Amino acid sequence: MCIRDRATLNHLLDELSPAVVVTTSWLRFLDKPAFETIFQRTGLNAAAHALHTHWAAPQDQGKNRLQAVEAWLAKHHEGEPFVVLDDDWSGTGLKGSHLDRQGRVVLCAEHVGLSPSHLPLLRRALQTPP
């Protein structure tokens, strides 16, 4: 997960009000209230309150992150702008994918995380219909 700069993510969530969908191996162990608590305790209150109705995109065993995102989009996407935010290590299958080529993927360097320099890419994806 590439959320090191909480201020940048909180700013983006406050500015554009996107819904948040979580895809992580942690979904095997944690439910929605647990994620809300983690977000609140780590200063990501905006993320806790922005969870989508269909808030989880589980990554099935043997599948990569791109496949988890594609499955969620096929089932729940209603045409709204979106961006996939992940890190280089966890975001398997995303780099160079069709979503990446469409400008829908923002990958952060592992152990570096999200920074204000990512905001233009995130804004562009969240303000451009698919």
Side-chain angles (χ1 to χ4, degrees):
M1 187 182 232
C2 68
I3 309 303
R4 286 196 168 220
D5 184 344
R6 292 181 302 269
T8 298
L9 182 60
N10 282 326
H11 176 80
L12 181 74
L13 292 169
D14 289 342
E15 178 184 341
L16 298 176
S17 302
V20 172
V21 176
V22 177
T23 179
T24 175
S25 58
W26 290 21
L27 288 169
R28 291 183 224 144
F29 313 107
L30 302 172
D31 59 7
K32 185 177 181 181
F35 275 99
E36 291 170 333
T37 299
I38 289 170
F39 289 148
Q40 290 167 347
R41 288 184 180 173
T42 58
L44 293 169
N45 292 334
H49 297 294
L51 287 173
H52 193 281
T53 303
H54 305 284
W55 65 278
Q59 185 174 330
D60 295 332
Q61 188 171 356
K63 303 289 183 178
N64 64 29
R65 186 62 48 86
L66 174 63
Q67 291 166 316
V69 170
E70 289 175 325
W72 187 94
L73 289 169
K75 190 170 184 180
H76 303 293
H77 188 237
E78 296 180 357
E80 65 273 33
F82 69 93
V83 66
V84 179
L85 176 61
D86 213 326
D87 62 66
D88 290 326
W89 187 79
S90 299
T92 55
L94 292 168
K95 189 171 188 168
S97 70
H98 65 99
L99 295 178
D100 191 14
R101 291 189 303 273
Q102 294 169 13
R104 299 285 171 199
V105 174
V106 174
L107 295 173
C108 306
E110 185 184 10
H111 303 298
V112 175
L114 184 66
S115 72
S117 67
H118 293 107
L119 281 173
L121 297 170
L122 293 165
R123 282 186 185 116
R124 186 175 312 119
L126 289 171
Q127 293 174 330
T128 305

